[in-house]
Amino acid sequence: MLLSLSIRDVVLIEKLDIAFRAGLSVLTGETGAGKSILLDSLGLALGARADSGLVRKGASQLSVTAEFDLPPNHPVRAILDEQGIEAEDMLVVRRTVGTDGRSRAWVNDQAASIGLLRRIGEELVEIHGQFDAHGMMDSATHGPVLDAFGGLNEDVAALRGAFRAWRESRDRREQAEAELARARLEEESLRFALDELETLDPKPGEEEELAERRSVMMHGEKLLEGMNAAFAALTQKGDVEGSLRSAMRALERIADKAEGRLESVIAALDRAAVEAAEATNLLEKASSEIDLDPRHLEQVEERLFALRSCARKHGTDVDSLPLLRDDLARQLRALEGGGEDIARLRREEQAAREAYLEAARALSRARTKAAKDLDKAVNGELKPLKLDKADFRTRVESLDESQWGETGLDRVAFEVSTNPGAPHGPLGKIASGGELSRFMLALKVVLARVGHAGTMVFDEVDSGIGGATAAAVGERLARLATDLQVLVVTHSPQVAALGSHHWRVAKAEVEKGKVVTRIEALSDDERREEVARMLAGAQITDEARAAAASLMVRM
């Protein structure tokens, strides 16, 4: 529900703050007083297209702020969550427009796009004017409206799941067929590559091992020369180990006379002798493993270069060749059993398609029934609204298979005919401005509990009518206001008399040459005077006041 509207520097409005309440609120005033400015301002707060011409002369920018209450589970909360904006019990949207045409928007004091403002506005308010109506003027909303009217939302949700399951099974089948077709085109090359890899038989870590062996073999002579020199130093011109053992024995003979001073020396000589012996053995072993046969080096290089060449050919590294071999083998196995997999996926897809069609056809039948009920209810509201020659109908049209979707097999459209025998057509193209507003009123009375917008605005819905017809319009607006907040701009005293709250819009000259638009909430006595003015015109008579009082009592 709209709680308040603050307007700054919009056309003739310098500063205006309005607090709204539930029920039926009416705005009245002379033609040209500025009632449309209020609706334009509200539209700006809801993401309507900005026009720098709306900025009041002498001001640098206009500003409009609208405050709404936000019930739990309202769809706007999901939109805010999606945008990372904290949802509170109160929602504040603000819009500024500069004289340069630049526009900025905020939602709960966080900068927002105009597109986000528009999305939020569509969930909060519906505006219906003589020549501009939102919401149900968009044929894309007709299907969801009919589903909500018929209580079919759970069926639609289930159908969405069935549609996704069908599409997913179709995608799996198409992907498998594409892979199979691609594999069959590449089968010969796959088999050749697999044979090559199986013949090569690469092992994990083999490249590093071969590279190390090649490096050792390439430097074998130098390595052996250095090792031989080291071995000679350890074994020639006296045995290093023997010398260490001799020194150790010499010290052992006198150790008992040294009072323990030689024990650590003897232990160190023993360790050194052991290490020298081990070093000599290891060096001898290492030198014996040096392979100086050029044929062996050639074999290692051939193997290493073959592995690297194969890896380059397949665009991978040598260590990944074993995995590539396994993958190629898997692809060929899948190719051999691919026909069976495709047949299974086709059966799954057909089953999912049939499940979707069963649910979709049941929904189509339910929609057809709901459409008849909706047509009957709406047409029952038209006669009192001076639309007795008009006919409303809901067309449920079957779509081609290429257009089937998650909401079913149907296209839903609301159509009207304004004269007997005349063809039906879209609301906005067939009905005139005043007729369109009354059609919308009839629809909204029937669909009062459908949709999430808690506020409805009607701009001169009573245009061109009076008497009993205007009274019927007022009665329906009041009935609608029992479920929703309704704001109506009206020139009809019959409608104004039914308002729970009444504002008068008027121009005032605040200084020479400067005129502003002002709005004031009316007391009961002021309301009666305003209704009398609407009945009598410029000169309010006692008879008009009496008629206004009588009208308000009757209403």
Side-chain angles (χ1 to χ4, degrees):
M1 184 178 79
L2 177 63
L3 299 177
S4 67
L5 184 66
S6 297
I7 305 171
R8 301 289 184 271
D9 298 316
V10 179
V11 193
L12 296 177
I13 298 176
E14 186 173 9
K15 179 181 178 181
L16 188 61
D17 297 296
I18 315 172
F20 293 96
R21 288 175 285 176
L24 176 60
S25 299
V26 298
L27 291 91
T28 62
E30 298 284 358
T31 300
K35 298 184 294 298
S36 61
I37 301 176
L38 296 174
L39 298 188
D40 289 340
S41 299
L42 178 59
L44 284 173
L46 300 176
R49 184 176 179 179
D51 182 354
S52 60
L54 292 173
V55 181
R56 185 177 63 83
K57 186 177 180 180
S60 60
Q61 70 172 20
L62 65 80
S63 173
V64 182
T65 303
E67 184 179 18
F68 297 86
D69 71 337
L70 204 58
N73 303 319
H74 195 283
V76 167
R77 291 183 178 270
I79 296 175
L80 296 178
D81 184 62
E82 171 191 312
Q83 299 295 319
I85 299 175
E86 185 176 355
E88 301 175 358
D89 291 338
M90 301 264 252
L91 175 72
V92 179
V93 293
R94 183 161 64 95
R95 178 90 172 273
T96 62
V97 180
T99 53
D100 58 359
R102 295 183 63 183
S103 177
R104 299 180 65 192
W106 292 264
V107 176
N108 283 356
D109 290 328
Q110 294 190 41
S113 68
I114 304 303
L116 174 60
L117 212 62
R118 190 177 300 115
R119 284 181 63 193
I120 291 173
E122 288 171 351
E123 297 291 348
L124 292 172
V125 179
E126 282 190 27
I127 299 177
H128 301 287
Q130 282 197 73
F131 302 102
D132 180 38
H134 305 285
M136 282 183 294
M137 281 292 290
D138 181 1
S139 61
T141 68
H142 296 176
V145 166
L146 178 63
D147 291 336
F149 174 79
L152 304 175
N153 286 339
E154 291 186 4
D155 300 296
V156 175
L159 185 64
R160 292 183 194 277
F163 181 77
R164 285 194 295 271
W166 174 28
R167 283 295 178 254
E168 288 168 2
S169 66
R170 183 197 63 182
D171 292 343
R172 287 193 296 270
R173 186 262 305 162
E174 289 179 347
Q175 181 180 354
E177 287 181 340
E179 289 180 355
L180 182 61
R182 186 167 55 251
R184 281 175 174 160
L185 288 174
E186 300 171 355
E187 181 177 4
E188 184 176 348
S189 61
L190 285 174
R191 293 194 183 281
F192 178 81
L194 181 59
D195 289 344
E196 181 184 38
L197 283 169
E198 287 180 338
T199 300
L200 189 61
D201 192 22
K203 302 291 191 302
E206 187 177 5
E207 180 186 26
E208 182 179 1
E209 179 187 347
L210 289 171
E212 290 176 355
R213 286 178 59 190
R214 176 174 178 260
S215 178
V216 170
M217 295 173 75
M218 288 177 66
H219 301 93
E221 292 184 359
K222 288 185 178 181
L223 290 170
L224 190 58
E225 181 181 346
M227 290 179 184
N228 287 338
F231 188 78
L234 290 169
T235 58
Q236 295 176 5
K237 298 179 183 181
D239 184 354
V240 172
E241 180 189 5
S243 298
L244 290 169
R245 295 291 182 190
S246 295
M248 185 176 68
R249 285 193 295 272
L251 292 175
E252 286 175 341
R253 285 194 293 270
I254 63 172
D256 59 340
K257 298 178 177 60
E259 299 296 333
R261 290 180 174 83
L262 297 177
E263 290 179 1
S264 60
V265 178
I266 293 170
L269 289 170
D270 184 45
R271 291 195 301 273
V274 172
E275 292 291 338
E278 185 177 357
T280 301
N281 292 333
L282 290 174
L283 184 58
E284 186 175 14
K285 181 176 183 296
S287 62
S288 67
E289 291 176 349
I290 297 296
D291 189 350
L292 299 179
D293 190 334
R295 292 174 300 176
H296 294 166
L297 174 61
E298 183 179 349
Q299 291 171 356
V300 169
E301 289 184 333
E302 285 180 355
R303 175 67 177 174
L304 179 61
F305 296 158
L307 288 169
R308 288 176 173 172
S309 175
C310 186
R312 285 195 301 273
K313 178 179 178 181
H314 293 289
T316 187
D317 55 76
V318 173
D319 285 340
S320 297
L321 288 176
L323 296 175
L324 176 62
R325 175 187 57 198
D326 295 342
D327 184 58
L328 292 175
R330 180 190 62 77
Q331 291 185 50
L332 286 169
R333 287 195 300 272
L335 181 62
E336 292 167 357
E340 295 179 3
D341 290 340
I342 297 298
R344 175 181 56 80
L345 290 172
R346 284 176 177 167
R347 290 193 298 271
E348 291 177 357
E349 179 188 358
Q350 182 61 29
R353 182 180 187 275
E354 290 174 357
Y356 166 77
L357 282 175
E358 182 179 357
R361 286 168 179 155
L363 180 59
S364 294
R365 291 190 294 270
R367 280 176 174 157
T368 299
K369 181 181 182 303
K372 293 178 180 178
D373 294 339
L374 178 61
D375 295 350
K376 181 179 179 181
V378 173
N379 284 317
E381 295 289 336
L382 296 182
K383 186 175 181 180
L385 295 175
K386 204 177 178 181
L387 292 170
D388 48 304
K389 295 181 179 180
D391 180 64
F392 173 88
R393 77 174 184 187
T394 304
R395 181 161 55 90
V396 181
E397 179 182 44
S398 297
L399 296 170
D400 293 334
E401 182 170 349
S402 61
Q403 297 175 295
W404 293 353
E406 58 182 13
T407 58
L409 317 177
D410 317 303
R411 179 188 291 111
V412 177
F414 297 154
E415 297 180 337
V416 297
S417 169
T418 54
N419 290 293
H424 288 73
L427 283 169
K429 293 184 179 179
I430 299 297
S432 65
E435 290 173 333
L436 180 58
S437 293
R438 280 177 278 149
F439 269 118
M440 287 300 178
L441 177 58
L443 268 169
K444 292 312 298 183
V445 168
V446 173
L447 302 171
R449 292 180 175 81
V450 173
H452 303 286
T455 301
M456 299 203 62
V457 179
F458 289 91
D459 183 14
E460 300 190 13
V461 65
D462 49 7
S463 177
I465 60 173
T469 303
V473 168
E475 187 273 328
R476 278 151 182 79
L477 288 169
R479 194 194 319 167
L480 189 59
T482 61
D483 296 298
L484 302 167
Q485 180 188 45
V486 178
L487 278 62
V488 57
V489 174
T490 181
H491 288 287
S492 168
Q494 290 90 344
V495 174
L498 276 171
S500 305
H501 321 290
H502 194 149
W503 285 272
R504 180 171 56 213
V505 183
K507 288 181 180 178
E509 185 173 353
V510 294
E511 58 185 69
K512 189 174 181 179
K514 183 179 180 180
V515 177
V516 297
T517 291
R518 288 180 173 169
I519 184 170
E520 59 179 330
L522 302 182
S523 65
D524 288 343
D525 290 341
E526 290 169 332
R527 284 184 60 205
R528 187 165 52 253
E529 192 73 3
E530 176 66 5
V531 174
R533 181 198 64 78
M534 298 172 74
L535 285 166
Q539 185 67 38
I540 303 176
T541 64
D542 290 338
E543 290 79 3
R545 291 186 178 94
S550 175
L551 187 63
M552 293 175 68
V553 169
R554 279 203 311 273
M555 294 297 182

